[in-house]
Structure formats: C-alpha cells, structure tokens
Amino acid sequence: MKNKILKILKDSEDFISGEEMSKEFHMTRAAIWKYINMLKEDGYIIESIPRKGYRIMSFPDILTYEEVAEYLDTDFIGRNIYYFNSINSTNRKAKEIAFGEKEGTVIVAEQQEEGKGRLGRHWISPKGKGIWMSIILKPKVDPMKVAKITLLGAATVYKALSNMNIKSQIKWPNDVLIDGKKICGILTEMSAELNMINYVIMGIGINVNLDESDIPEELKDKATSIKIIEDKEIDRKELFANILNEFEKIYKDFIDKDSISEAIDICKANSALIGKDIRIIRGDEVRVGKALDINEEGHLVVEFDGGVVESIYSGEISIRGLEGYI
C-alpha cells in the first residue's frame, strides 16, 4: 500500500487530498497519514497543507524499484527488485531465494555487513555510498560457460560508466578501475547439477560516492571511488539503471546467440592488462608473464619465459602488475 500511495503522489502534478486517497484505497485518512509518515521515514520530503493535502517536494537517494523504474529500459532484468536498507550480503540473499525467483530479479542494499569479493576477500560496503547488488540469472547453457558471465558484467559496468562520461578500464576478469585504482568488483557464483544450471548469481559492488575517509588506509593505493576521482557526487539511481539496461542487452546475446564478442571487444579495447608484465598468483604459485590478448573464450592469453604462450582461465587466481596495482 505504501508504494501505491507513493505512485499516486508521484503522478500528481499538484496537491492530492487525504480524502481523495481515502476513497481511492478504501481506507481511513488516519491510515493514509500513517503511510505518509512511513514515506517520510524513507527520506521523501512531503509537504502537507490542511484542506489541500499532500505533495512530494524531493526524493531520497535510494535504490528502490520505485526510484529507478523511470530510468529502466529492460524486459526482465531489474523488473523485480528486493531492496534492503542493510543486509549481510546481497549474494547470500540471492542464493537463498534464487530457486523461487524469476530470472533478472535483483537484490540491492544500501549497506552490506559481510560483503565479499573473489577469493573470499572482504568488500567494504558503507551505507548509501555505493551500489551493492546481485542479479539472479538462469541461463540455459553448459555450466562450463558460466565463467564468461563475469566478463559480461565487467563490460556492462564499463559501458554504464561510459554512458555517464566516466572513463574506466577493465582488469581481467572481474575488476573495473579508474586511474589505475579499483572502483568495482564482480563475483559470480553458480549452483548446478551435472549439465544443468540451477542459477547463477552475479554480484556487483561499486564504490560510487565513498569519501577518502571511507577507504581503509591499507587500501588507499589500490582502491578509490568514482566520487573521489570525478570530484563530484554521482547519481546512483542513474548508474544503477544504466547497469541493468546495458547488462540485459549484452546478456541476451550470450543466451540467444551464444556470443560474448561484444564483451570481449570492450574488455580488450579497454584492458588494464594487455601489453603489460603481470604476476599470476594461484595459491603459493607465482608466475610472471606478459598479457597479450583475451581470446574468444574470454581467457587471458599470456606469454611466459621462453616464449611459451598459454590461455589462462580465471578460476581461483589473482593478478598483479609488476609495478603498481593493476
């Protein structure tokens, strides 16, 4: 009911009286007042004048469906959004509900208490300053192809930022950088049986409006936020919707045409690794080589000592530049 009252307030160009809403929703004016107060608690500034009614004066910076719907241009991605003020992990919640939800359902939170990245690393997720989201996917493809979805996510974030005139680079396979520092990480998890996928969860964490004080001292040389680099507040709702819009386009190519060519082109053209010397770390093993390319399977092509060229599957590896972070 709260969302219905919000919609009628948004649709009205002038004041709308409590009596009108009482008749519309078949409830008392006292009940209407209760829901108006709930909207105020959510951050909506609502003016109320006796004998005139209510009207919305300003909208909060929150990532609910009601606030991002006007930006969406999708058929199914993001058409069902579970919004949380605070949550342990959006990926964890997505896995809890995935079996009963339609493909494209999104879980988004203002704050994560136990957010994580690849290899179990902790992801700082301060309240109201980032985009902490997970998308439930149910592709009818071979489970061996699921790793490609991470590249789709990286290319999507790049395109969404580009739409807002923000330049970035992609550090294969799952990081997006600005000025050489990480602002986005992507974590893809899967549940499958033999050759059948139950679901895939693609988690995306983006440092949008974090301040310098939000970045731990030990990470300041590795991580940043869009706001810090751009020196201005970023519209989270616009960026959130941009990601959902762009992801649906690139994901449809993957499930309909078995193609990730656009994602590979984007990742190659805007790579932070290609042409550079890198260290590939898997457990205690460290190998040094030069990143040459990203092949059609989405693997990183690396030349090692002696001219040996290998394609590297993302798996449980970490990549570091010989100089600086990348």
Side-chain angles (χ1 to χ4, degrees):
M1 183 53 65
K2 181 178 72 172
N3 289 337
K4 290 181 179 179
I5 290 174
L6 175 59
K7 185 177 187 308
I8 200 172
L9 286 170
K10 280 189 167 186
D11 290 345
S12 177
E13 296 181 358
D14 201 352
F15 285 92
I16 182 165
S17 71
E19 183 178 357
E20 287 180 76
M21 287 191 281
S22 294
K23 291 178 180 178
E24 174 77 19
F25 300 118
H26 307 289
M27 61 174 58
T28 65
R29 292 171 70 173
I32 296 293
W33 174 246
K34 181 186 75 172
Y35 286 113
I36 293 292
N37 281 334
M38 290 172 65
L39 289 170
K40 288 181 177 179
E41 289 173 3
D42 288 342
Y44 292 91
I45 306 300
I46 300 175
E47 183 180 18
S48 58
I49 296 179
R51 293 184 296 279
K52 292 188 72 174
Y54 308 96
R55 68 174 176 179
I56 292 182
M57 303 299 292
S58 68
F59 303 90
D61 177 26
I62 56 177
L63 302 178
T64 60
Y65 179 78
E66 290 71 29
E67 284 303 303
V68 302
E70 64 182 288
Y71 300 101
L72 285 180
D73 184 28
T74 61
D75 294 326
F76 63 99
I77 298 292
R79 288 301 173 178
N80 182 34
I81 294 177
Y82 285 90
Y83 168 83
F84 296 89
N85 188 46
S86 182
I87 199 172
N88 48 22
S89 159
T90 61
N91 262 34
R92 187 182 302 177
K93 183 64 178 180
K95 287 185 284 186
E96 289 173 3
I97 67 174
F99 278 103
E101 296 297 332
K102 294 180 180 179
E103 182 170 50
T105 294
V106 173
I107 294 82
V108 64
E110 295 295 340
Q111 177 185 31
Q112 288 186 118
E113 297 170 357
E114 301 173 22
K116 68 174 184 175
R118 290 180 75 245
L119 311 183
R121 298 187 184 101
H122 180 59
W123 186 275
I124 305 297
S125 313
K127 189 171 185 178
K129 295 190 175 185
I131 295 175
W132 326 120
M133 62 180 284
S134 299
I135 306 175
I136 297 174
L137 304 170
K138 299 185 178 181
K140 292 180 174 61
V141 301
D142 188 303
M144 292 298 293
K145 296 182 178 181
V146 166
K148 297 178 180 180
I149 291 177
T150 302
L151 285 185
L152 301 185
T156 291
V157 173
Y158 172 86
K159 288 184 71 177
L161 291 170
S162 182
N163 290 345
M164 298 175 68
N165 297 313
I166 298 168
K167 295 181 179 180
S168 64
Q169 285 187 302
I170 297 168
K171 175 182 171 256
W172 181 94
N174 70 315
D175 292 346
V176 179
L177 317 178
I178 298 181
D179 284 1
K181 293 185 179 181
K182 183 171 179 176
I183 57 98
C184 171
I186 298 162
L187 175 64
T188 303
E189 301 181 271
M190 173 180 66
S191 168
E193 299 173 15
L194 296 177
N195 294 322
M196 183 185 75
I197 294 171
N198 295 320
Y199 61 77
V200 175
I201 307 299
M202 188 177 72
I204 300 176
I206 306 177
N207 296 340
V208 183
N209 289 322
L210 278 71
D211 297 303
E212 287 281 3
S213 59
D214 295 312
I215 309 290
E217 198 62 40
E218 66 272 17
L219 296 178
K220 286 186 184 296
D221 63 333
K222 302 176 181 179
T224 188
S225 76
I226 305 172
K227 176 187 176 182
I228 291 170
I229 298 296
E230 296 289 311
D231 196 27
K232 65 179 181 180
E233 289 276 337
I234 304 300
D235 188 327
R236 292 192 307 146
K237 289 181 278 192
E238 182 182 355
L239 179 55
F240 181 41
N242 249 310
I243 291 168
L244 300 180
N245 291 338
E246 294 296 346
F247 181 72
E248 181 170 286
K249 296 173 191 174
I250 209 165
Y251 180 68
K252 280 183 174 180
D253 277 350
F254 173 61
I255 58 175
D256 294 342
K257 304 175 186 176
D258 192 22
S259 172
I260 61 167
S261 59
E262 182 183 3
I264 290 174
D265 288 345
I266 291 170
C267 290
K268 287 169 65 170
N270 303 283
S271 174
L273 296 182
I274 292 176
K276 295 183 179 178
D277 293 327
I278 59 174
R279 287 175 292 164
I280 297 175
I281 305 165
R282 180 183 282 109
D284 294 330
E285 179 190 16
V286 180
R287 302 175 71 193
V288 175
K290 183 175 183 178
L292 300 179
D293 198 2
I294 298 172
N295 68 21
E296 62 184 15
E297 293 300 313
H299 299 167
L300 186 67
V301 180
V302 180
E303 182 180 19
F304 294 101
D305 289 343
V308 177
V309 176
E310 296 181 21
S311 60
I312 306 296
Y313 168 73
S314 59
E316 294 297 305
I317 67 169
S318 180
I319 292 180
R320 293 288 184 269
L322 295 185
E323 297 180 5
Y325 173 56
I326 57 171

